[in-house]
Amino acid sequence: METTTLQRAYDVYEDRCPTRLVLDRIADKWALLILDRLDGEPVRFNHIRRDIKGISQKVLSQTLKKLERDGLVSRTVFATVPVTVEYALTPLGRTLTETVATLAHWAERNMDAVLTAQRTYDAAAELR
Amino acid sequence: METTTLQRAYDVYEDRCPTRLVLDRIADKWALLILDRLDGEPVRFNHIRRDIKGISQKVLSQTLKKLERDGLVSRTVFATVPVTVEYALTPLGRTLTETVATLAHWAERNMDAVLTAQRTYDAAAELR
DNA sequence: CGGGATCCGAGCAGATACTG
DNA sequence: CAGTATCTGCTCGGATCCCG
Protein backbone atom coordinates (compact mmCIF):
# COMPACT_ATOMS: atom_id res chain seq x y z
CA MET A 1 0.00 0.00 0.00
CA GLU A 2 1.02 3.59 -0.35
CA THR A 3 1.82 5.07 3.01
CA THR A 4 0.05 8.21 4.13
CA THR A 5 1.02 10.43 7.02
CA LEU A 6 -1.82 9.35 9.27
CA GLN A 7 -1.19 5.72 8.51
CA ARG A 8 2.45 6.02 9.41
CA ALA A 9 1.37 7.63 12.63
CA TYR A 10 -0.88 4.70 13.35
CA ASP A 11 1.68 2.07 12.47
CA VAL A 12 4.10 3.66 14.83
CA TYR A 13 1.47 3.66 17.55
CA GLU A 14 1.19 -0.07 17.21
CA ASP A 15 4.83 -0.12 18.15
CA ARG A 16 4.00 2.13 21.09
CA CYS A 17 5.27 5.26 19.44
CA PRO A 18 3.49 8.37 20.54
CA THR A 19 2.39 10.13 17.37
CA ARG A 20 -0.90 8.43 17.87
CA LEU A 21 -1.26 9.99 21.29
CA VAL A 22 -1.33 13.35 19.61
CA LEU A 23 -3.96 12.15 17.18
CA ASP A 24 -6.09 10.86 20.00
CA ARG A 25 -6.04 14.27 21.57
CA ILE A 26 -6.98 15.94 18.31
CA ALA A 27 -9.82 13.50 17.74
CA ASP A 28 -11.56 14.59 20.95
CA LYS A 29 -14.53 16.84 20.33
CA TRP A 30 -14.38 18.53 23.74
CA ALA A 31 -10.67 19.20 23.37
CA LEU A 32 -11.27 20.80 19.99
CA LEU A 33 -14.00 23.03 21.38
CA ILE A 34 -11.86 24.06 24.33
CA LEU A 35 -8.82 24.83 22.20
CA ASP A 36 -11.00 26.87 19.92
CA ARG A 37 -12.51 28.73 22.85
CA LEU A 38 -9.10 29.56 24.29
CA ASP A 39 -8.04 31.24 21.07
CA GLY A 40 -7.83 34.82 22.26
CA GLU A 41 -7.31 36.14 25.78
CA PRO A 42 -7.02 33.91 28.87
CA VAL A 43 -10.28 32.55 30.22
CA ARG A 44 -11.42 31.35 33.64
CA PHE A 45 -12.74 27.88 34.36
CA ASN A 46 -16.39 28.65 34.84
CA HIS A 47 -16.28 31.05 31.94
CA ILE A 48 -15.30 28.23 29.61
CA ARG A 49 -17.92 26.06 31.18
CA ARG A 50 -20.64 28.57 30.49
CA ASP A 51 -19.51 29.19 26.94
CA ILE A 52 -19.23 25.57 25.88
CA LYS A 53 -22.79 24.56 26.47
CA GLY A 54 -23.34 20.98 27.46
CA ILE A 55 -19.90 20.23 28.86
CA SER A 56 -19.82 18.94 32.42
CA GLN A 57 -17.40 20.33 34.97
CA LYS A 58 -15.82 16.92 35.25
CA VAL A 59 -15.10 16.56 31.57
CA LEU A 60 -13.92 20.14 31.31
CA SER A 61 -11.53 19.59 34.18
CA GLN A 62 -10.21 16.33 32.78
CA THR A 63 -9.77 17.69 29.29
CA LEU A 64 -8.01 20.82 30.47
CA LYS A 65 -5.63 18.67 32.46
CA LYS A 66 -4.81 16.57 29.42
CA LEU A 67 -4.26 19.66 27.29
CA GLU A 68 -2.04 21.15 29.96
CA ARG A 69 -0.06 17.94 30.18
CA ASP A 70 0.47 18.01 26.43
CA GLY A 71 1.80 21.54 26.66
CA LEU A 72 -1.03 22.98 24.61
CA VAL A 73 -2.68 24.94 27.40
CA SER A 74 -1.24 26.89 30.34
CA ARG A 75 -2.87 27.17 33.76
CA THR A 76 -2.23 30.21 35.93
CA VAL A 77 -3.44 30.47 39.51
CA PHE A 78 -4.01 33.88 41.14
CA ALA A 79 -4.02 33.96 44.93
CA THR A 80 -7.22 35.90 45.20
CA VAL A 81 -10.11 35.00 47.50
CA PRO A 82 -11.68 33.02 46.17
CA VAL A 83 -9.01 31.62 43.91
CA THR A 84 -8.88 32.69 40.27
CA VAL A 85 -7.52 30.37 37.60
CA GLU A 86 -6.86 31.41 34.05
CA TYR A 87 -6.38 29.10 31.11
CA ALA A 88 -4.67 30.15 27.93
CA LEU A 89 -3.11 28.67 24.83
CA THR A 90 0.63 28.10 24.86
CA PRO A 91 2.56 29.02 21.73
CA LEU A 92 2.44 25.34 20.80
CA GLY A 93 -1.31 25.26 21.34
CA ARG A 94 -1.67 28.32 19.18
CA THR A 95 -0.06 26.58 16.23
CA LEU A 96 -2.65 23.85 16.59
CA THR A 97 -5.69 26.09 16.70
CA GLU A 98 -4.78 27.50 13.33
CA THR A 99 -5.19 24.04 11.87
CA VAL A 100 -8.29 23.34 13.90
CA ALA A 101 -9.89 26.50 12.55
CA THR A 102 -9.44 25.11 9.06
CA LEU A 103 -11.46 22.07 10.04
CA ALA A 104 -14.17 24.25 11.52
CA HIS A 105 -14.40 26.24 8.33
CA TRP A 106 -14.70 23.05 6.34
CA ALA A 107 -17.60 22.03 8.53
CA GLU A 108 -19.33 25.35 7.99
CA ARG A 109 -18.82 25.33 4.26
CA ASN A 110 -19.83 21.72 3.67
CA MET A 111 -22.53 21.23 6.25
CA ASP A 112 -25.29 21.56 3.69
CA ALA A 113 -23.69 19.06 1.36
CA VAL A 114 -23.38 16.55 4.18
CA LEU A 115 -26.98 17.01 5.22
CA THR A 116 -28.21 16.56 1.69
CA ALA A 117 -26.18 13.37 1.40
CA GLN A 118 -27.67 12.10 4.64
CA ARG A 119 -31.21 12.72 3.45
CA THR A 120 -30.54 10.99 0.16
CA TYR A 121 -28.97 8.03 1.95
CA ASP A 122 -31.83 7.73 4.42
CA ALA A 123 -34.43 8.00 1.68
CA ALA A 124 -32.77 5.18 -0.23
CA ALA A 125 -32.61 3.06 2.91
CA GLU A 126 -36.29 3.69 3.47
CA LEU A 127 -37.20 1.75 0.35
CA ARG A 128 -35.88 -1.48 1.82
CA MET B 1 -17.50 36.54 24.50
CA GLU B 2 -15.95 36.72 21.09
CA THR B 3 -17.47 34.14 18.84
CA THR B 4 -15.24 31.65 17.07
CA THR B 5 -16.20 29.37 14.25
CA LEU B 6 -16.23 26.20 16.28
CA GLN B 7 -18.17 27.86 19.06
CA ARG B 8 -20.82 29.03 16.65
CA ALA B 9 -21.03 25.49 15.40
CA TYR B 10 -21.56 24.25 18.90
CA ASP B 11 -24.13 26.87 19.81
CA VAL B 12 -26.11 25.94 16.79
CA TYR B 13 -25.93 22.30 17.74
CA GLU B 14 -27.56 23.14 21.03
CA ASP B 15 -30.44 24.39 18.92
CA ARG B 16 -30.34 21.09 17.06
CA CYS B 17 -28.55 22.51 14.06
CA PRO B 18 -26.34 20.01 12.33
CA THR B 19 -22.95 21.67 12.01
CA ARG B 20 -22.03 19.79 15.10
CA LEU B 21 -22.83 16.49 13.45
CA VAL B 22 -20.03 17.21 11.03
CA LEU B 23 -17.69 17.99 13.89
CA ASP B 24 -18.59 14.77 15.63
CA ARG B 25 -17.60 12.88 12.52
CA ILE B 26 -14.32 14.72 12.24
CA ALA B 27 -13.55 14.10 15.90
CA ASP B 28 -13.63 10.32 15.39
CA LYS B 29 -10.18 8.76 15.29
CA TRP B 30 -11.20 5.75 13.21
CA ALA B 31 -13.01 7.93 10.70
CA LEU B 32 -9.91 10.07 10.33
CA LEU B 33 -7.72 7.03 9.76
CA ILE B 34 -10.14 5.58 7.22
CA LEU B 35 -10.49 8.81 5.30
CA ASP B 36 -6.74 9.09 5.23
CA ARG B 37 -6.38 5.52 4.02
CA LEU B 38 -8.89 6.04 1.22
CA ASP B 39 -6.88 8.93 -0.17
CA GLY B 40 -5.70 7.37 -3.40
CA GLU B 41 -7.23 4.55 -5.37
CA PRO B 42 -10.35 2.61 -4.28
CA VAL B 43 -9.77 -0.01 -1.60
CA ARG B 44 -11.59 -3.19 -0.60
CA PHE B 45 -13.02 -3.85 2.82
CA ASN B 46 -10.56 -6.37 4.13
CA HIS B 47 -7.72 -4.40 2.63
CA ILE B 48 -8.59 -1.41 4.78
CA ARG B 49 -8.98 -3.71 7.72
CA ARG B 50 -5.51 -5.11 7.29
CA ASP B 51 -3.94 -1.71 6.79
CA ILE B 52 -5.50 0.00 9.78
CA LYS B 53 -4.12 -2.18 12.49
CA GLY B 54 -6.26 -2.60 15.53
CA ILE B 55 -9.62 -1.76 14.00
CA SER B 56 -12.30 -4.39 14.39
CA GLN B 57 -14.44 -5.43 11.47
CA LYS B 58 -17.48 -4.21 13.31
CA VAL B 59 -16.16 -0.71 13.87
CA LEU B 60 -14.81 -0.54 10.34
CA SER B 61 -18.19 -1.48 8.96
CA GLN B 62 -20.03 1.00 11.15
CA THR B 63 -17.66 3.83 10.43
CA LEU B 64 -17.72 3.24 6.68
CA LYS B 65 -21.50 3.34 6.80
CA LYS B 66 -21.49 6.67 8.60
CA LEU B 67 -18.98 8.11 6.15
CA GLU B 68 -21.05 6.85 3.23
CA ARG B 69 -24.18 8.36 4.73
CA ASP B 70 -22.40 11.69 5.04
CA GLY B 71 -21.47 11.58 1.38
CA LEU B 72 -17.75 11.43 2.11
CA VAL B 73 -17.17 7.87 0.94
CA SER B 74 -18.63 5.89 -1.96
CA ARG B 75 -19.34 2.17 -1.90
CA THR B 76 -19.27 0.16 -5.11
CA VAL B 77 -20.34 -3.47 -5.31
CA PHE B 78 -19.02 -5.75 -8.06
CA ALA B 79 -21.05 -8.87 -8.82
CA THR B 80 -18.11 -11.23 -8.68
CA VAL B 81 -18.05 -14.49 -6.78
CA PRO B 82 -17.40 -13.88 -4.05
CA VAL B 83 -18.62 -10.33 -3.96
CA THR B 84 -16.12 -7.49 -4.26
CA VAL B 85 -16.77 -4.12 -2.65
CA GLU B 86 -14.66 -1.06 -3.23
CA TYR B 87 -14.60 2.02 -1.09
CA ALA B 88 -13.37 5.37 -2.33
CA LEU B 89 -13.49 9.02 -1.42
CA THR B 90 -16.18 11.14 -3.02
CA PRO B 91 -15.19 14.58 -4.30
CA LEU B 92 -16.59 15.97 -1.06
CA GLY B 93 -14.57 13.52 0.98
CA ARG B 94 -11.48 14.49 -0.96
CA THR B 95 -11.82 18.12 0.09
CA LEU B 96 -11.86 16.94 3.69
CA THR B 97 -8.77 14.77 3.50
CA GLU B 98 -6.74 17.76 2.41
CA THR B 99 -7.55 19.38 5.73
CA VAL B 100 -7.07 16.18 7.66
CA ALA B 101 -3.60 15.81 6.19
CA THR B 102 -2.72 19.18 7.67
CA LEU B 103 -3.62 17.85 11.10
CA ALA B 104 -1.53 14.77 10.56
CA HIS B 105 1.44 16.86 9.60
CA TRP B 106 1.00 18.96 12.71
CA ALA B 107 1.08 15.79 14.76
CA GLU B 108 4.29 14.65 13.08
CA ARG B 109 6.02 17.98 13.45
CA ASN B 110 5.03 18.61 17.06
CA MET B 111 5.05 15.16 18.51
CA ASP B 112 8.39 15.68 20.19
CA ALA B 113 7.30 18.93 21.78
CA VAL B 114 4.19 17.28 23.15
CA LEU B 115 6.18 14.39 24.59
CA THR B 116 8.64 16.70 26.25
CA ALA B 117 5.78 18.64 27.78
CA GLN B 118 4.27 15.42 29.09
CA ARG B 119 7.50 14.35 30.72
CA THR B 120 7.93 17.74 32.35
CA TYR B 121 4.34 17.68 33.60
CA ASP B 122 4.65 14.17 34.98
CA ALA B 123 7.94 14.96 36.67
CA ALA B 124 6.37 17.94 38.41
CA ALA B 125 3.41 15.85 39.49
CA GLU B 126 5.80 13.26 40.87
CA LEU B 127 7.03 15.68 43.51
CA ARG B 128 3.66 15.75 45.23
C1' DC C 1 -14.45 30.13 42.48
C1' DG C 2 -12.29 25.99 40.95
C1' DG C 3 -12.24 22.05 41.28
C1' DG C 4 -11.84 16.57 43.53
C1' DA C 5 -14.38 12.13 44.84
C1' DT C 6 -17.91 9.02 44.17
C1' DC C 7 -21.70 6.54 42.17
C1' DC C 8 -24.21 5.03 38.39
C1' DG C 9 -26.33 4.10 33.82
C1' DA C 10 -25.81 4.08 28.74
C1' DG C 11 -23.32 3.20 24.93
C1' DC C 12 -19.40 1.69 22.53
C1' DA C 13 -15.94 -1.70 21.55
C1' DG C 14 -14.13 -6.58 21.41
C1' DA C 15 -14.82 -11.53 20.61
C1' DT C 16 -17.32 -15.02 18.55
C1' DA C 17 -20.40 -17.22 15.38
C1' DC C 18 -22.96 -17.24 11.26
C1' DT C 19 -24.43 -15.95 6.17
C1' DG C 20 -25.28 -14.49 1.04
C1' DC D 1 -15.21 -11.70 0.47
C1' DA D 2 -17.92 -8.65 3.00
C1' DG D 3 -20.36 -8.24 6.04
C1' DT D 4 -24.59 -9.07 10.10
C1' DA D 5 -26.03 -10.69 14.78
C1' DT D 6 -25.44 -11.35 19.53
C1' DC D 7 -23.44 -11.11 23.95
C1' DT D 8 -20.50 -9.20 27.11
C1' DG D 9 -17.69 -6.12 29.26
C1' DC D 10 -15.87 -1.69 30.35
C1' DT D 11 -15.01 2.80 29.76
C1' DC D 12 -16.98 7.47 29.37
C1' DG D 13 -19.85 10.89 30.72
C1' DG D 14 -23.60 12.90 33.72
C1' DA D 15 -25.24 13.92 38.39
C1' DT D 16 -24.39 14.79 43.01
C1' DC D 17 -21.88 16.04 47.09
C1' DC D 18 -18.09 18.13 49.11
C1' DC D 19 -13.89 21.02 50.11
C1' DG D 20 -10.02 24.81 50.24
Side-chain angles (χ1 to χ4, degrees), chain B residues 11-97:
Chain B
D11 287 344
V12 173
Y13 169 71
E14 283 290 301
D15 296 317
R16 290 196 158 44
C17 176
T19 307
R20 178 56 180 282
L21 297 176
V22 177
L23 289 174
D24 273 346
R25 189 73 5 102
I26 291 171
D28 177 353
K29 65 173 177 181
W30 293 122
L32 285 176
L33 286 164
I34 292 172
L35 284 174
D36 189 64
R37 177 62 194 86
L38 290 181
D39 206 356
E41 43 197 67
V43 197
R44 302 224 307 278
F45 186 89
N46 281 330
H47 198 150
I48 305 176
R49 202 186 161 193
R50 273 190 303 274
D51 286 347
I52 302 183
K53 293 160 195 155
I55 195 169
S56 71
Q57 128 273 74
K58 176 184 173 182
V59 172
L60 175 56
S61 173
Q62 289 173 343
T63 309
L64 281 171
K65 213 175 293 183
K66 287 182 198 169
L67 292 172
E68 187 194 356
R69 178 168 183 265
D70 290 346
L72 300 171
V73 163
S74 68
R75 180 177 183 274
T76 313
V77 182
F78 297 95
T80 53
V81 180
V83 156
T84 303
V85 181
E86 278 188 355
Y87 291 92
L89 290 179
T90 62
L92 180 61
R94 209 166 293 279
T95 66
L96 180 54
T97 56

Side-chain angles (χ1 to χ4, degrees), chain A residues 69-100:
Chain A
R69 179 168 183 264
D70 289 346
L72 300 171
V73 162
S74 68
R75 181 178 183 273
T76 312
V77 182
F78 297 95
T80 53
V81 180
V83 156
T84 302
V85 181
E86 278 188 355
Y87 291 92
L89 290 179
T90 62
L92 181 61
R94 209 167 295 280
T95 67
L96 179 54
T97 56
E98 293 169 13
T99 311
V100 169

Side-chain angles (χ1 to χ4, degrees), chain A residues 112-128, chain B residues 18 21 25 62 64-71 73:
Chain A
D112 288 340
V114 169
L115 285 176
T116 303
Q118 287 182 353
R119 276 192 294 267
T120 304
Y121 183 94
D122 292 344
E126 200 72 19
L127 302 180
R128 276 180 271 120
Chain B
L21 297 176
R25 189 73 5 102
Q62 289 173 343
L64 281 171
K65 213 175 293 183
K66 287 182 198 169
L67 292 172
E68 187 194 356
R69 178 168 183 265
D70 290 346
V73 163

Side-chain angles (χ1 to χ4, degrees), chain A residues 1 4 6-7 10 18-20 27 29 36 51 53 69-70 95 103 106 111 115 118 121-122, chain B residues 1 4 6-7 10 18-20 27 29 36 51 53 65 69-70 95 103 106 111 115 118 121-122:
Chain A
M1 66 173 280
T4 61
L6 214 54
Q7 186 56 46
Y10 194 84
T19 307
R20 178 55 182 281
K29 65 173 177 180
D36 188 65
D51 286 347
K53 292 159 194 155
R69 179 168 183 264
D70 289 346
T95 67
L103 271 183
W106 186 94
M111 186 185 77
L115 285 176
Q118 287 182 353
Y121 183 94
D122 292 344
Chain B
M1 68 173 278
T4 60
L6 214 54
Q7 186 56 46
Y10 194 83
T19 307
R20 178 56 180 282
K29 65 173 177 181
D36 189 64
D51 286 347
K53 293 160 195 155
K65 213 175 293 183
R69 178 168 183 265
D70 290 346
T95 66
L103 271 182
W106 186 94
M111 185 184 76
L115 284 177
Q118 287 182 353
Y121 184 93
D122 293 344

